[in-house]
Amino acid sequence: MTDEIDIISSSYEANILDYIVDLSSYRMDVLSARFLTFEVKACKHVALYASSSDNKDSTKPLYEIAIGSHHNTRTLVRRRNDASLQASSSITKQSDTQNVLNCNENRPFWISWEAGSIMVGSGNGVGENVIVSWIDQAPFSVKSLGILTLDKVVGEWKVFIPVKDNFAGYSTSCEAPGKRAVLLSLGVVSSSLLQCAAMCSQLNSCVVYNPQNQEKRCELLSVGTDPLTDVPKSLAVGWQYYAKCYDENEACFGCFF
């Protein structure tokens, strides 16, 4: 979910990156990525920002991809070189796209930035149904990605994030006993708590495990293809919730995001 803010675009807000939802916070491996697919529900004007800065420095060059701007009539790609807000510091390529967004319906889109070829399109197939494309003759390395809903609009997003495989080798229980995660089950096996932890650690797709000590049962779970920042849990006597930790134990899935 992106909040309602009174900003029109990066052409009018110098510190635009202060307002974004940074996808790096959700373990997205931005440096190795070349495209992003997502769905969004909004009445108008959603935007993505691909920056050359990895710490939200708005003075650094960035790309702005705005969909449904100008009251849901245009889609554009903009390169902004700095935060001066001078017309000469940016270049914009746009296309007329009447009603490309919908207030009540999730619409699928994609963006790509391979080798300075900046494109945005509709649908689930990257490279198909291109709406706007522009080739940057002096491309920069994209180090961070963020999303935002502009022009006093609230947006609902589903972003399909390729995540870093940087499991720290450590798991934690951040719930009181009697809680069980409700995710995509990879199977329930008979094992001890230690064996359960070891099995989950060896599977990249396993992010959470539910052990049941009395009967020595172990459920391994995955998020599938959907990114989550909060793991749904249910009350379950005898079960316990454990989460894998990433980034040198700084991010434990479903605990501290």
Side-chain angles (χ1 to χ4, degrees):
M1 180 78 73
T2 47
D3 295 331
E4 175 181 321
I5 60 171
D6 189 13
I7 294 175
I8 298 176
S9 74
S10 64
S11 295
Y12 298 95
E13 174 53 53
N15 298 315
I16 190 68
L17 298 184
D18 289 350
Y19 301 91
I20 66 168
V21 176
D22 188 355
L23 299 184
S24 298
S25 300
Y26 299 94
R27 297 193 300 113
M28 179 172 181
D29 190 0
V30 176
L31 288 177
S32 65
R34 296 295 179 268
F35 64 87
L36 186 71
T37 59
F38 57 96
E39 295 178 3
V40 63
K41 179 168 64 176
C43 293
K44 59 179 179 177
H45 213 164
V46 302
L48 298 95
Y49 296 87
S51 173
S52 61
S53 169
D54 58 5
N55 62 353
K56 294 187 178 182
D57 184 352
S58 296
T59 66
K60 302 293 186 180
L62 59 83
Y63 299 122
E64 178 180 41
I65 297 94
I67 301 170
S69 67
H70 294 77
H71 302 285
N72 204 13
T73 65
R74 298 180 194 173
T75 295
L76 63 87
V77 172
R78 173 179 292 122
R79 172 175 171 146
R80 197 181 83 168
N81 292 322
D82 53 49
S84 68
L85 304 185
Q86 298 296 314
S88 59
S89 70
S90 67
I91 183 170
T92 303
K93 177 70 177 294
Q94 65 183 24
S95 177
D96 291 335
T97 52
Q98 294 285 338
N99 301 315
V100 68
L101 297 174
N102 188 282
C103 299
N104 304 304
E105 179 182 284
N106 287 305
R107 295 280 177 90
F109 298 95
W110 56 268
I111 62 169
S112 66
W113 54 94
E114 178 72 36
S117 178
I118 316 301
M119 294 191 290
V120 56
S122 61
N124 297 307
V126 177
E128 301 176 358
N129 302 316
V130 176
I131 299 172
V132 182
S133 64
W134 174 70
I135 296 178
D136 188 352
Q137 298 299 326
F140 54 78
S141 176
V142 172
K143 298 180 180 178
S144 66
L145 283 167
I147 59 176
L148 192 60
T149 314
L150 301 167
D151 205 9
K152 298 182 180 180
V153 172
V154 174
E156 295 182 21
W157 299 73
K158 179 186 281 188
V159 183
F160 301 96
I161 301 178
V163 299
K164 302 175 186 177
D165 179 18
N166 55 350
F167 173 47
Y170 173 78
S171 300
T172 188
S173 177
C174 55
E175 291 282 356
K179 288 288 184 69
R180 185 178 184 180
V182 183
L183 293 171
L184 177 64
S185 178
L186 299 173
V188 180
V189 297
S190 177
S191 76
S192 67
L193 173 59
L194 183 60
Q195 291 170 328
C196 188
M199 284 187 288
C200 188
S201 69
Q202 293 169 10
L203 291 171
N204 288 338
S205 56
C206 179
V207 295
V208 165
Y209 57 96
N210 293 320
Q212 213 270 21
N213 292 329
Q214 290 87 344
E215 299 177 13
K216 291 188 176 181
R217 298 173 67 193
C218 167
E219 183 176 30
L220 308 177
L221 300 117
S222 168
V223 296
T225 58
D226 292 340
L228 293 175
T229 58
D230 185 27
V231 174
K233 307 176 186 75
S234 65
L235 295 175
V237 177
W239 290 84
Q240 180 68 62
Y241 169 89
Y242 279 86
K244 288 171 74 171
C245 298
Y246 300 82
D247 295 329
E248 300 180 353
N249 301 353
E250 293 180 1
C252 301
F253 195 85
C255 296
F256 308 117
F257 285 134

